[in-house]
Amino acid sequence: MKVVGTCNHLVVGSNPTPGVEQNTPFMGVFLFKLMPYIVYILESSDGKYYTGYTSDLDRRMEQHRNGTGAKFTKSFGFRKLLYHEKHRTRAKAMRREAQIKGWDRSKKEALISGNLKQ
């Protein structure tokens, strides 16, 4: 999609794009609402941490609860959501997910508790 202009989290363009919710047409152009992507950390039933990203946190947590969310939660179960943060693009969310996955448990716990020193 070619971005013509933006306004208050809306993108004006002419073609539907995956990950972008299409709104109503306006003078032959469609307005698109940017979908936030959410990076999250959850705790498994046995205390392990899982980091992922999604565009719909409620739906994804339900998938994890039902055992359909990821191989990890199928194997280790789902206890609770510990942390989440929003990102404007999928690419930024994916980079952040990879960054957090590379951290040791103590650094993830510092992020979760709000005590991470940058």
Side-chain angles (χ1 to χ4, degrees):
M1 174 179 83
K2 182 178 180 186
V3 175
V4 178
T6 61
C7 175
N8 292 335
H9 304 291
L10 291 178
V11 176
V12 180
S14 57
N15 297 320
T17 302
V20 178
E21 180 181 306
Q22 181 176 320
N23 288 333
T24 56
F26 176 73
M27 296 180 65
V29 209
F30 286 93
L31 298 178
F32 300 91
K33 188 188 311 177
L34 292 177
M35 303 285 285
Y37 286 88
I38 300 141
V39 176
Y40 61 91
I41 301 173
L42 61 80
E43 184 178 20
S44 68
S45 297
D46 65 349
K48 291 179 174 67
Y49 290 164
Y50 173 82
T51 303
Y53 77 93
T54 183
S55 62
D56 185 338
L57 189 59
D58 292 333
R59 176 186 53 79
R60 190 65 173 150
M61 292 303 108
E62 188 60 31
Q63 289 173 334
H64 285 305
R65 276 187 210 76
N66 294 334
T68 60
K71 289 180 186 178
F72 178 90
T73 50
K74 282 181 193 173
S75 300
F76 298 105
F78 171 81
R79 181 175 296 151
K80 63 182 173 181
L81 176 66
L82 299 173
Y83 175 82
H84 69 280
E85 61 186 40
K86 290 184 180 179
H87 294 272
R88 291 181 60 125
T89 67
R90 181 178 179 192
K92 287 180 183 180
M94 290 174 70
R95 281 192 297 272
R96 180 64 165 166
E97 176 199 28
Q99 178 187 38
I100 293 170
K101 282 184 173 183
W103 293 351
D104 62 21
R105 185 178 181 94
S106 64
K107 192 165 182 178
K108 291 176 186 176
E109 288 173 346
L111 176 66
I112 292 164
S113 67
N115 294 321
L116 182 66
K117 294 188 168 96
Q118 297 291 340

